[in-house]
Amino acid sequence: MEDCIFCKIIKREIPANIVYEDNEIIAFKDIQPAAPIHILVIPKKHIPSLVELTKEDEVIVGKIYTIINKIAEEQGVKEKGYRVIVNCGKDGGQEVGHLHFHLLAGKPLGEKIV
Ligand code: AMP
Ligand code: ZN
């Protein structure tokens, strides 16, 4: 089966503005930013969505949050704060079928749903 768009970014088959990478995680700027800072943080493992998460993925999800914090610090927004969003499935508005965490920051993020 053909790789998804984010797997192609991981394999450098399509370009992205990468801000962090290690052996398990990669983070890059969202192509259509919804805030001054809008970074997608993803596991390199192709996990289609949050509902597909397995017991063995628990560690990587924890690590992703630590990396998000590190990126927020590097981007200079740790003090002011940020928002992390994971869209899941049709009702959640997920468009790309590879688990990703939106890191949004750089302005007051406005109305909250919750
Ligand atoms: P979601 O709606 O939660 O699935 O979010 C998918 C996100 O991926 C959207 O914010 C898109 O702007 C972003 N996106 C799609 N293609 C790319 C790409 N090639 N590089 C960076 N971000 C992308
Ligand atoms: Zn993928």
Side-chain angles (χ1 to χ4, degrees):
M1 216 173 81
E2 207 199 338
D3 283 329
C4 84
I5 190 158
F6 290 172
C7 282
K8 285 180 179 169
I9 287 174
I10 293 162
K11 291 181 177 174
R12 304 296 200 277
E13 288 171 9
I14 60 169
N17 194 333
I18 295 164
V19 299
Y20 176 86
E21 182 169 25
D22 64 29
N23 59 335
E24 291 179 307
I25 293 167
I26 191 165
F28 49 90
K29 293 188 177 173
D30 196 290
I31 207 166
Q32 280 189 293
I37 293 168
H38 186 173
I39 292 165
L40 300 174
V41 186
I42 74 170
K44 286 188 172 175
K45 178 182 174 187
H46 180 85
I47 301 167
S49 85
L50 213 52
V51 287
E52 312 269 349
L53 213 63
T54 65
K55 193 86 185 155
E56 71 171 30
D57 301 325
E58 286 175 355
V59 174
I60 191 74
V61 170
K63 189 175 168 191
I64 282 172
Y65 276 103
T66 308
I67 297 304
I68 285 171
N69 220 18
K70 178 182 159 68
I71 294 168
E73 186 165 26
E74 283 168 6
Q75 299 283 328
V77 297
K78 199 171 177 180
E79 298 302 317
K80 282 202 160 182
Y82 55 83
R83 190 173 289 167
V84 178
I85 295 175
V86 180
N87 297 320
C88 179
K90 191 164 168 281
D91 281 0
Q94 184 178 1
E95 286 176 11
V96 175
H98 182 131
L99 179 63
H100 52 282
F101 294 68
H102 295 260
L103 165 59
L104 297 155
K107 67 170 188 182
L109 290 163
E111 194 184 344
K112 297 195 297 177
I113 296 173
V114 288

